[in-house]
Amino acid sequence: MQTSPFSDFFIRFWGVRGSIPTPGKETVRYGGNTSCVEMYVGGKRLIFDGGTGLRVLGKHLLAQMPVEAYMFFTHSHWDHIQGFPFFVPAFIPGNCFHIYGAIAPNGANIKARLSDQMHHPNFPVPLVAMRSDLRFYDITPGEVFKIDDIEIETAPLNHPNEAIGYRVSWGGHTAVYCTDTEHFADRLDENVLHLAQNADIFIYDATYSDEEYSDPKSPKIGWGHSTWQEAVKLAKTAKVDKLVIFHHDPAHDDDFLDNIEAQVHTVFPNSLLAREGMVLPVMGARQE
C-alpha cells in the first residue's frame, strides 16, 4: 500500500457533498462529489461510504493494485452508495474488499442493498460482475470490533431509515466519522457524544445552519441532518480537538461555504470545512 508523507494515520476526503452530486463552476473549491472518506490507519485502508467520490478513489487505486480495503457504510441512501457500481477496482480479480454495514429496517443486509441498486432496471451491470473478492459483514449499531490493532466503535444515529456512526482508534489517536444524523431540540445526542469523546478529529454532518434548519418558510426539521452550530456544541462538550464540517448541502456554493467556515472558525478555532482532496493527519491533529 502506498505510504503518506503525513503520518501512519491520516484522512483523505474524496466526496464531501450531501444528497446529490453538484458539479459545476460554483462548487470547484469544495467539490461536488457525494460522501466518501478514506482513512489510512497503521498500514490498512479504511473507506467510509461509497458516494460518487468512491469512483474517483477507485481511479487513484488503479496504480496501487492489488488492493485490499475495508469499506464501512453508514446507510444506503443513494448519495452514500451511488459510486459503488463505478468503483473499478471491485471489478478486477486479485483485489479484496471487506464490506461492513448494518441491517436495514426492512431486514436487508448491506450486500442486498448494494446489489439491489445494480439490478435491472436500475443498472445494467449486476453485482456478480465484480470479480474481486468481496466479503460482506453485518454489524449491529453499538458494536465494538477490531481489525488487528485498529478498534472500531459504532453507534446508531438519528436519521430516516437509520444510519450508523464510526469511531476509529489506533495508536492512542481517534478519528470519528459521524454523518447523516439530526440533532435533538432539547439535548445533545448521547450516541454522538460517546463517539466523539476526546477525538483528535470529529467529522460531523452540518448540512444546514440553524437559520436554514428552522426557517418557517422551508424548515428542514425531520430531514435527518444537523447544523454547524450543533456541531460546535458537540465538539466543545466532547472535548474534540479538530472539528470537520461535512455533508455540504447541494444548494451551498463555494462562497456560501467560505462564509460558513469563517463563522465556525470564530467560535471553534481548530475547525474547517471538508474539501475534496483534503488530507488531514490524525496523529498530530491535536494542538499543543
Side-chain angles (χ1 to χ4, degrees):
M1 178 175 176
Q2 189 180 49
T3 58
S4 166
F6 296 95
S7 71
D8 288 328
F9 191 174
F10 72 89
I11 304 170
R12 184 170 305 188
F13 294 83
W14 296 94
V16 303
R17 190 70 54 170
S19 302
I20 192 170
T22 56
K25 62 182 181 180
E26 295 181 341
T27 58
V28 170
R29 294 199 301 277
Y30 289 87
N33 280 302
T34 61
S35 301
C36 183
V37 173
E38 175 191 17
M39 294 188 192
Y40 176 97
V41 189
K44 289 184 169 54
R45 176 174 278 111
L46 281 55
I47 301 169
F48 294 86
D49 280 330
T52 57
L54 183 63
R55 183 190 68 86
V56 188
L57 171 55
K59 290 176 61 179
H60 171 76
L61 294 179
L62 292 177
Q64 303 177 39
M65 294 191 301
V67 173
E68 181 175 25
Y70 300 81
M71 305 179 72
F72 301 88
F73 286 87
T74 55
H75 62 312
S76 58
H77 284 169
W78 281 341
D79 55 326
H80 293 257
I81 65 171
Q82 63 196 153
F84 188 76
F86 300 92
F87 185 49
V88 174
F91 290 88
I92 301 174
N95 295 330
C96 179
F97 299 100
H98 306 265
I99 302 173
Y100 297 77
I103 303 294
N106 68 352
N109 60 23
I110 189 61
K111 181 178 181 180
R113 286 184 277 164
L114 292 174
S115 179
D116 284 349
Q117 75 163 337
M118 298 176 70
H119 281 169
H120 294 298
N122 300 318
F123 197 75
V125 181
L127 182 72
V128 294
M130 290 182 160
R131 303 303 301 276
S132 65
D133 183 7
L134 301 181
R135 305 180 187 182
F136 294 90
Y137 307 85
D138 298 328
I139 55 177
T140 302
E143 182 178 354
V144 181
F145 57 97
K146 283 192 171 185
I147 300 173
D148 292 340
D149 56 348
I150 303 168
E151 181 177 273
I152 299 172
E153 188 167 359
T154 65
L157 302 178
N158 181 32
H159 192 65
N161 308 125
E162 301 181 356
I164 187 170
Y166 294 93
R167 175 184 173 97
V168 179
S169 299
W170 179 82
H173 297 270
T174 298
V176 175
Y177 180 69
C178 189
T179 189
D180 289 63
T181 191
E182 184 168 356
H183 59 277
F184 297 109
D186 59 344
R187 67 191 188 280
L188 295 178
D189 189 326
E190 290 297 328
N191 289 328
V192 176
L193 279 175
H194 178 71
L195 289 178
Q197 197 66 41
N198 296 313
D200 294 85
I201 293 181
F202 177 43
I203 303 166
Y204 183 74
D205 172 355
T207 301
Y208 309 117
S209 65
D210 278 352
E211 295 76 17
E212 291 173 310
Y213 181 78
S214 302
D215 184 348
K217 294 183 179 180
S218 180
K220 305 300 188 294
I221 298 168
W223 289 25
H225 301 287
S226 193
T227 71
W228 68 261
Q229 289 95 337
E230 292 293 328
V232 170
K233 291 179 188 177
L234 287 162
K236 288 182 175 179
T237 303
K239 296 180 172 58
V240 166
D241 187 71
K242 185 182 291 292
L243 170 64
V244 181
I245 299 300
F246 185 76
H247 205 271
H248 308 318
D249 188 276
H252 293 172
D253 62 18
D254 287 335
D255 291 341
F256 188 97
L257 293 176
D258 282 345
N259 182 52
I260 293 296
E261 185 170 56
Q263 293 181 66
V264 178
H265 196 262
T266 298
V267 292
F268 198 91
N270 200 16
S271 62
L272 70 166
L273 268 65
R275 295 165 169 80
E276 278 186 36
M278 183 172 74
V279 179
L280 296 177
V282 178
M283 301 173 72
R286 291 200 166 272
Q287 295 180 328
E288 300 298 334

